[in-house]
């Protein structure tokens, strides 16, 4: 149900990312999906996969059990979605739901966001969730959304930490207009996480136990 999303991307995939995405950085072993970021000489490689044109959904619950990479700085693992009309209308008109984004230097904190016309990139509507115990990079946690007409609920380990509705966004609500598809990736550098530093050890791997969609 997945396709590789490979290449360097225009302008670092629009985020000043440093990696090249390659098929070799995505693997399934011992029942786990593994997306690995590697240092290669003066550059970096990593993995990005998507369900575009294969698995799309509108409404329901979407969740994944993930252990994020363990790195001091410079990694940006993410579990997110784009509207299936992305190829026709572009971004952010297509809408984007970020179920989980993490900065490597913040192993107890994740962010959930939505992007749309009038509230995208640095102006996205976001909220953080921070663990009181444990870390996201040393154990598996469940990240998910419950999505219905006029609302998106954000969860970590079945804890509801945010609800967004049309009244919460600063532009057009585009999340009732079409189905969405899933993307999973580990970016290196970029505007969100910043670049690796002298303490950033590679390779680093995001582990995914499962991804589930409940209609």
């Amino acid at each position: 149900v997945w396709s590789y999303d490979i290449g360097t991307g225009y302008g670092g995939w629009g985020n000043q990312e440093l990696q090249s995405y390659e098929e070799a950085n995505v693997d399934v072993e011992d029942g786990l999906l593994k997306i690995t970021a590697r240092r290669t000489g003066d550059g970096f490689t990593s993995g990005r996969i998507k369900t575009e044109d294969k698995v799309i959904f509108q409404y329901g619950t979407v969740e994944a059990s993930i252990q994020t990479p363990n790195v001091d700085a410079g990694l940006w693992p993410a579990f997110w979605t784009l509207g299936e009309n992305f190829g026709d209308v572009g971004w952010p008109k297509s809408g984007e739901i970020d179920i989980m984004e993490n900065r490597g230097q913040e192993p107890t904190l994740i962010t959930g966001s939505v992007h749309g016309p009038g509230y995208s990139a640095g102006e996205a509507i976001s909220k953080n969730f921070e663990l009181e115990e444990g870390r996201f990079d040393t154990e598996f946690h469940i990240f998910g959304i419950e999505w219905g007409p006029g609302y998106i609920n954000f969860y970590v380990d079945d804890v509801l930490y945010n609800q967004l509705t049309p009244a919460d966004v600063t532009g057009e609500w585009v999340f009732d207009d079409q189905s969405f598809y899933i993307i999973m990736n580990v970016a290196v550098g970029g505007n969100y996480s910043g670049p690796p530093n002298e303490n950033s050890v590679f390779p680093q791997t995001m582990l995914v136990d499962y991804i589930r969609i409940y209609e």
Side-chain angles (χ1 to χ4, degrees), residues 101-129:
E101 294 184 285
N102 169 253
R103 297 178 177 90
Q105 59 267 40
E106 298 175 336
T108 63
L109 189 102
I110 62 96
T111 303
S113 307
V114 295
H115 302 251
Y119 51 100
S120 60
E123 303 300 319
I125 309 300
S126 303
K127 188 171 183 178
N128 296 333
F129 176 91

PDB file of all heavy atoms in Angstrom, residues 101-129:
ATOM      1  N   GLU A 101       4.871  15.237  14.765  1.00  0.00           N
ATOM      2  CA  GLU A 101       6.177  15.731  14.371  1.00  0.00           C
ATOM      3  C   GLU A 101       7.032  15.841  15.623  1.00  0.00           C
ATOM      4  O   GLU A 101       6.539  16.203  16.690  1.00  0.00           O
ATOM      5  CB  GLU A 101       6.086  17.104  13.700  1.00  0.00           C
ATOM      6  CG  GLU A 101       5.373  17.115  12.375  1.00  0.00           C
ATOM      7  CD  GLU A 101       5.401  18.485  11.737  1.00  0.00           C
ATOM      8  OE1 GLU A 101       4.650  19.363  12.216  1.00  0.00           O
ATOM      9  OE2 GLU A 101       6.166  18.683  10.785  1.00  0.00           O
ATOM     10  N   ASN A 102       8.320  15.550  15.467  1.00  0.00           N
ATOM     11  CA  ASN A 102       9.226  15.557  16.618  1.00  0.00           C
ATOM     12  C   ASN A 102      10.557  16.171  16.225  1.00  0.00           C
ATOM     13  O   ASN A 102      11.028  15.982  15.105  1.00  0.00           O
ATOM     14  CB  ASN A 102       9.425  14.131  17.129  1.00  0.00           C
ATOM     15  CG  ASN A 102      10.553  14.007  18.143  1.00  0.00           C
ATOM     16  OD1 ASN A 102      11.601  13.468  17.821  1.00  0.00           O
ATOM     17  ND2 ASN A 102      10.348  14.501  19.346  1.00  0.00           N
ATOM     18  N   ARG A 103      11.138  16.930  17.128  1.00  0.00           N
ATOM     19  CA  ARG A 103      12.509  17.393  16.979  1.00  0.00           C
ATOM     20  C   ARG A 103      13.417  16.443  17.756  1.00  0.00           C
ATOM     21  O   ARG A 103      13.145  16.147  18.922  1.00  0.00           O
ATOM     22  CB  ARG A 103      12.677  18.806  17.517  1.00  0.00           C
ATOM     23  CG  ARG A 103      11.860  19.869  16.799  1.00  0.00           C
ATOM     24  CD  ARG A 103      12.071  21.230  17.448  1.00  0.00           C
ATOM     25  NE  ARG A 103      11.360  22.283  16.755  1.00  0.00           N
ATOM     26  CZ  ARG A 103      10.120  22.678  17.027  1.00  0.00           C
ATOM     27  NH1 ARG A 103       9.437  22.074  18.006  1.00  0.00           N
ATOM     28  NH2 ARG A 103       9.548  23.654  16.353  1.00  0.00           N
ATOM     29  N   GLY A 104      14.500  15.993  17.143  1.00  0.00           N
ATOM     30  CA  GLY A 104      15.378  15.046  17.805  1.00  0.00           C
ATOM     31  C   GLY A 104      15.899  15.525  19.138  1.00  0.00           C
ATOM     32  O   GLY A 104      16.146  14.725  20.054  1.00  0.00           O
ATOM     33  N   GLN A 105      16.077  16.837  19.282  1.00  0.00           N
ATOM     34  CA  GLN A 105      16.612  17.383  20.529  1.00  0.00           C
ATOM     35  C   GLN A 105      15.558  17.519  21.625  1.00  0.00           C
ATOM     36  O   GLN A 105      15.871  17.943  22.732  1.00  0.00           O
ATOM     37  CB  GLN A 105      17.266  18.748  20.272  1.00  0.00           C
ATOM     38  CG  GLN A 105      16.342  19.808  19.689  1.00  0.00           C
ATOM     39  CD  GLN A 105      16.373  19.868  18.181  1.00  0.00           C
ATOM     40  OE1 GLN A 105      16.415  18.840  17.511  1.00  0.00           O
ATOM     41  NE2 GLN A 105      16.380  21.073  17.632  1.00  0.00           N
ATOM     42  N   GLU A 106      14.298  17.132  21.317  1.00  0.00           N
ATOM     43  CA  GLU A 106      13.218  17.215  22.297  1.00  0.00           C
ATOM     44  C   GLU A 106      12.534  15.852  22.417  1.00  0.00           C
ATOM     45  O   GLU A 106      11.418  15.647  21.937  1.00  0.00           O
ATOM     46  CB  GLU A 106      12.212  18.286  21.878  1.00  0.00           C
ATOM     47  CG  GLU A 106      12.820  19.673  21.826  1.00  0.00           C
ATOM     48  CD  GLU A 106      11.850  20.727  21.299  1.00  0.00           C
ATOM     49  OE1 GLU A 106      10.902  20.375  20.565  1.00  0.00           O
ATOM     50  OE2 GLU A 106      12.059  21.907  21.627  1.00  0.00           O
ATOM     51  N   PRO A 107      13.173  14.875  23.062  1.00  0.00           N
ATOM     52  CA  PRO A 107      12.684  13.490  23.054  1.00  0.00           C
ATOM     53  C   PRO A 107      11.428  13.248  23.879  1.00  0.00           C
ATOM     54  O   PRO A 107      10.901  12.138  23.863  1.00  0.00           O
ATOM     55  CB  PRO A 107      13.867  12.707  23.622  1.00  0.00           C
ATOM     56  CG  PRO A 107      14.587  13.689  24.486  1.00  0.00           C
ATOM     57  CD  PRO A 107      14.469  15.002  23.771  1.00  0.00           C
ATOM     58  N   THR A 108      10.922  14.259  24.584  1.00  0.00           N
ATOM     59  CA  THR A 108       9.686  14.084  25.356  1.00  0.00           C
ATOM     60  C   THR A 108       8.545  14.914  24.787  1.00  0.00           C
ATOM     61  O   THR A 108       7.470  14.952  25.387  1.00  0.00           O
ATOM     62  CB  THR A 108       9.890  14.467  26.834  1.00  0.00           C
ATOM     63  OG1 THR A 108      10.217  15.873  26.925  1.00  0.00           O
ATOM     64  CG2 THR A 108      11.009  13.652  27.461  1.00  0.00           C
ATOM     65  N   LEU A 109       8.754  15.571  23.646  1.00  0.00           N
ATOM     66  CA  LEU A 109       7.772  16.518  23.125  1.00  0.00           C
ATOM     67  C   LEU A 109       7.453  16.215  21.666  1.00  0.00           C
ATOM     68  O   LEU A 109       8.354  15.984  20.861  1.00  0.00           O
ATOM     69  CB  LEU A 109       8.324  17.939  23.239  1.00  0.00           C
ATOM     70  CG  LEU A 109       7.326  19.055  22.922  1.00  0.00           C
ATOM     71  CD1 LEU A 109       6.820  19.677  24.223  1.00  0.00           C
ATOM     72  CD2 LEU A 109       7.989  20.149  22.091  1.00  0.00           C
ATOM     73  N   ILE A 110       6.157  16.226  21.321  1.00  0.00           N
ATOM     74  CA  ILE A 110       5.736  16.126  19.915  1.00  0.00           C
ATOM     75  C   ILE A 110       4.732  17.238  19.642  1.00  0.00           C
ATOM     76  O   ILE A 110       4.193  17.867  20.568  1.00  0.00           O
ATOM     77  CB  ILE A 110       5.146  14.748  19.558  1.00  0.00           C
ATOM     78  CG1 ILE A 110       3.878  14.454  20.367  1.00  0.00           C
ATOM     79  CG2 ILE A 110       6.194  13.658  19.762  1.00  0.00           C
ATOM     80  CD1 ILE A 110       2.579  14.789  19.664  1.00  0.00           C
ATOM     81  N   THR A 111       4.463  17.448  18.350  1.00  0.00           N
ATOM     82  CA  THR A 111       3.526  18.483  17.931  1.00  0.00           C
ATOM     83  C   THR A 111       2.513  17.894  16.962  1.00  0.00           C
ATOM     84  O   THR A 111       2.859  17.088  16.104  1.00  0.00           O
ATOM     85  CB  THR A 111       4.264  19.644  17.241  1.00  0.00           C
ATOM     86  OG1 THR A 111       5.259  20.170  18.123  1.00  0.00           O
ATOM     87  CG2 THR A 111       3.299  20.763  16.873  1.00  0.00           C
ATOM     88  N   GLY A 112       1.247  18.297  17.108  1.00  0.00           N
ATOM     89  CA  GLY A 112       0.198  17.994  16.147  1.00  0.00           C
ATOM     90  C   GLY A 112      -0.305  19.285  15.529  1.00  0.00           C
ATOM     91  O   GLY A 112      -0.497  20.278  16.246  1.00  0.00           O
ATOM     92  N   SER A 113      -0.515  19.293  14.213  1.00  0.00           N
ATOM     93  CA  SER A 113      -0.838  20.542  13.516  1.00  0.00           C
ATOM     94  C   SER A 113      -1.791  20.310  12.354  1.00  0.00           C
ATOM     95  O   SER A 113      -1.915  19.194  11.846  1.00  0.00           O
ATOM     96  CB  SER A 113       0.437  21.197  12.941  1.00  0.00           C
ATOM     97  OG  SER A 113       1.434  21.370  13.901  1.00  0.00           O
ATOM     98  N   VAL A 114      -2.411  21.408  11.902  1.00  0.00           N
ATOM     99  CA  VAL A 114      -3.089  21.433  10.615  1.00  0.00           C
ATOM    100  C   VAL A 114      -2.582  22.628   9.825  1.00  0.00           C
ATOM    101  O   VAL A 114      -2.255  23.675  10.385  1.00  0.00           O
ATOM    102  CB  VAL A 114      -4.633  21.488  10.746  1.00  0.00           C
ATOM    103  CG1 VAL A 114      -5.162  20.224  11.392  1.00  0.00           C
ATOM    104  CG2 VAL A 114      -5.082  22.729  11.510  1.00  0.00           C
ATOM    105  N   HIS A 115      -2.503  22.436   8.488  1.00  0.00           N
ATOM    106  CA  HIS A 115      -2.120  23.496   7.565  1.00  0.00           C
ATOM    107  C   HIS A 115      -3.227  23.638   6.529  1.00  0.00           C
ATOM    108  O   HIS A 115      -3.771  22.638   6.040  1.00  0.00           O
ATOM    109  CB  HIS A 115      -0.827  23.153   6.827  1.00  0.00           C
ATOM    110  CG  HIS A 115       0.356  22.889   7.703  1.00  0.00           C
ATOM    111  ND1 HIS A 115       1.431  23.752   7.799  1.00  0.00           N
ATOM    112  CD2 HIS A 115       0.646  21.838   8.508  1.00  0.00           C
ATOM    113  CE1 HIS A 115       2.339  23.252   8.621  1.00  0.00           C
ATOM    114  NE2 HIS A 115       1.874  22.081   9.067  1.00  0.00           N
ATOM    115  N   GLY A 116      -3.524  24.871   6.166  1.00  0.00           N
ATOM    116  CA  GLY A 116      -4.505  25.146   5.128  1.00  0.00           C
ATOM    117  C   GLY A 116      -4.330  26.561   4.626  1.00  0.00           C
ATOM    118  O   GLY A 116      -3.420  27.285   5.063  1.00  0.00           O
ATOM    119  N   PRO A 117      -5.189  27.013   3.730  1.00  0.00           N
ATOM    120  CA  PRO A 117      -5.075  28.371   3.201  1.00  0.00           C
ATOM    121  C   PRO A 117      -5.207  29.408   4.322  1.00  0.00           C
ATOM    122  O   PRO A 117      -6.214  29.453   5.021  1.00  0.00           O
ATOM    123  CB  PRO A 117      -6.244  28.461   2.220  1.00  0.00           C
ATOM    124  CG  PRO A 117      -6.603  27.050   1.886  1.00  0.00           C
ATOM    125  CD  PRO A 117      -6.304  26.265   3.112  1.00  0.00           C
ATOM    126  N   GLY A 118      -4.154  30.201   4.513  1.00  0.00           N
ATOM    127  CA  GLY A 118      -4.156  31.219   5.558  1.00  0.00           C
ATOM    128  C   GLY A 118      -3.535  30.774   6.867  1.00  0.00           C
ATOM    129  O   GLY A 118      -3.391  31.580   7.796  1.00  0.00           O
ATOM    130  N   TYR A 119      -3.148  29.516   6.962  1.00  0.00           N
ATOM    131  CA  TYR A 119      -2.517  29.020   8.201  1.00  0.00           C
ATOM    132  C   TYR A 119      -1.601  27.848   7.858  1.00  0.00           C
ATOM    133  O   TYR A 119      -1.879  26.713   8.159  1.00  0.00           O
ATOM    134  CB  TYR A 119      -3.570  28.618   9.246  1.00  0.00           C
ATOM    135  CG  TYR A 119      -4.644  27.671   8.742  1.00  0.00           C
ATOM    136  CD1 TYR A 119      -4.577  26.303   9.007  1.00  0.00           C
ATOM    137  CD2 TYR A 119      -5.723  28.140   8.008  1.00  0.00           C
ATOM    138  CE1 TYR A 119      -5.557  25.433   8.536  1.00  0.00           C
ATOM    139  CE2 TYR A 119      -6.710  27.275   7.542  1.00  0.00           C
ATOM    140  CZ  TYR A 119      -6.620  25.927   7.809  1.00  0.00           C
ATOM    141  OH  TYR A 119      -7.584  25.061   7.364  1.00  0.00           O
ATOM    142  N   SER A 120      -0.489  28.167   7.243  1.00  0.00           N
ATOM    143  CA  SER A 120       0.436  27.133   6.795  1.00  0.00           C
ATOM    144  C   SER A 120       1.854  27.459   7.226  1.00  0.00           C
ATOM    145  O   SER A 120       2.150  28.577   7.664  1.00  0.00           O
ATOM    146  CB  SER A 120       0.381  26.991   5.268  1.00  0.00           C
ATOM    147  OG  SER A 120       0.740  28.202   4.639  1.00  0.00           O
ATOM    148  N   ALA A 121       2.737  26.440   7.106  1.00  0.00           N
ATOM    149  CA  ALA A 121       4.159  26.578   7.472  1.00  0.00           C
ATOM    150  C   ALA A 121       4.254  27.120   8.895  1.00  0.00           C
ATOM    151  O   ALA A 121       3.653  26.544   9.807  1.00  0.00           O
ATOM    152  CB  ALA A 121       4.880  27.457   6.460  1.00  0.00           C
ATOM    153  N   GLY A 122       4.965  28.216   9.102  1.00  0.00           N
ATOM    154  CA  GLY A 122       5.144  28.753  10.446  1.00  0.00           C
ATOM    155  C   GLY A 122       3.876  29.292  11.078  1.00  0.00           C
ATOM    156  O   GLY A 122       3.854  29.563  12.284  1.00  0.00           O
ATOM    157  N   GLU A 123       2.803  29.432  10.273  1.00  0.00           N
ATOM    158  CA  GLU A 123       1.521  29.913  10.791  1.00  0.00           C
ATOM    159  C   GLU A 123       0.517  28.775  10.983  1.00  0.00           C
ATOM    160  O   GLU A 123      -0.681  29.023  11.163  1.00  0.00           O
ATOM    161  CB  GLU A 123       0.943  30.952   9.833  1.00  0.00           C
ATOM    162  CG  GLU A 123       1.846  32.142   9.577  1.00  0.00           C
ATOM    163  CD  GLU A 123       2.179  32.909  10.843  1.00  0.00           C
ATOM    164  OE1 GLU A 123       1.267  33.093  11.675  1.00  0.00           O
ATOM    165  OE2 GLU A 123       3.340  33.331  11.000  1.00  0.00           O
ATOM    166  N   ALA A 124       0.986  27.519  10.934  1.00  0.00           N
ATOM    167  CA  ALA A 124       0.093  26.378  11.140  1.00  0.00           C
ATOM    168  C   ALA A 124      -0.559  26.453  12.516  1.00  0.00           C
ATOM    169  O   ALA A 124      -0.027  27.049  13.461  1.00  0.00           O
ATOM    170  CB  ALA A 124       0.881  25.082  11.003  1.00  0.00           C
ATOM    171  N   ILE A 125      -1.728  25.839  12.625  1.00  0.00           N
ATOM    172  CA  ILE A 125      -2.429  25.749  13.912  1.00  0.00           C
ATOM    173  C   ILE A 125      -1.920  24.500  14.617  1.00  0.00           C
ATOM    174  O   ILE A 125      -2.169  23.375  14.171  1.00  0.00           O
ATOM    175  CB  ILE A 125      -3.950  25.683  13.716  1.00  0.00           C
ATOM    176  CG1 ILE A 125      -4.430  26.812  12.796  1.00  0.00           C
ATOM    177  CG2 ILE A 125      -4.659  25.723  15.061  1.00  0.00           C
ATOM    178  CD1 ILE A 125      -4.130  28.216  13.306  1.00  0.00           C
ATOM    179  N   SER A 126      -1.185  24.675  15.705  1.00  0.00           N
ATOM    180  CA  SER A 126      -0.433  23.582  16.332  1.00  0.00           C
ATOM    181  C   SER A 126      -0.634  23.561  17.837  1.00  0.00           C
ATOM    182  O   SER A 126      -0.964  24.578  18.456  1.00  0.00           O
ATOM    183  CB  SER A 126       1.073  23.730  16.052  1.00  0.00           C
ATOM    184  OG  SER A 126       1.342  23.773  14.676  1.00  0.00           O
ATOM    185  N   LYS A 127      -0.376  22.377  18.400  1.00  0.00           N
ATOM    186  CA  LYS A 127      -0.318  22.239  19.850  1.00  0.00           C
ATOM    187  C   LYS A 127       0.672  21.144  20.190  1.00  0.00           C
ATOM    188  O   LYS A 127       0.739  20.116  19.502  1.00  0.00           O
ATOM    189  CB  LYS A 127      -1.694  21.903  20.436  1.00  0.00           C
ATOM    190  CG  LYS A 127      -1.698  21.947  21.969  1.00  0.00           C
ATOM    191  CD  LYS A 127      -3.105  21.833  22.532  1.00  0.00           C
ATOM    192  CE  LYS A 127      -3.109  21.964  24.046  1.00  0.00           C
ATOM    193  NZ  LYS A 127      -4.481  21.906  24.599  1.00  0.00           N
ATOM    194  N   ASN A 128       1.449  21.354  21.237  1.00  0.00           N
ATOM    195  CA  ASN A 128       2.439  20.382  21.689  1.00  0.00           C
ATOM    196  C   ASN A 128       1.846  19.436  22.725  1.00  0.00           C
ATOM    197  O   ASN A 128       0.902  19.778  23.443  1.00  0.00           O
ATOM    198  CB  ASN A 128       3.643  21.082  22.310  1.00  0.00           C
ATOM    199  CG  ASN A 128       4.402  21.929  21.314  1.00  0.00           C
ATOM    200  OD1 ASN A 128       4.395  21.664  20.119  1.00  0.00           O
ATOM    201  ND2 ASN A 128       5.064  22.967  21.799  1.00  0.00           N
ATOM    202  N   PHE A 129       2.444  18.259  22.796  1.00  0.00           N
ATOM    203  CA  PHE A 129       2.151  17.300  23.868  1.00  0.00           C
ATOM    204  C   PHE A 129       3.484  16.861  24.453  1.00  0.00           C
ATOM    205  O   PHE A 129       4.388  16.465  23.712  1.00  0.00           O
ATOM    206  CB  PHE A 129       1.395  16.086  23.339  1.00  0.00           C
ATOM    207  CG  PHE A 129       1.142  15.029  24.382  1.00  0.00           C
ATOM    208  CD1 PHE A 129      -0.019  15.036  25.138  1.00  0.00           C
ATOM    209  CD2 PHE A 129       2.072  14.021  24.633  1.00  0.00           C
ATOM    210  CE1 PHE A 129      -0.251  14.063  26.109  1.00  0.00           C
ATOM    211  CE2 PHE A 129       1.846  13.051  25.591  1.00  0.00           C
ATOM    212  CZ  PHE A 129       0.681  13.073  26.335  1.00  0.00           C
TER     213      PHE A 129
END
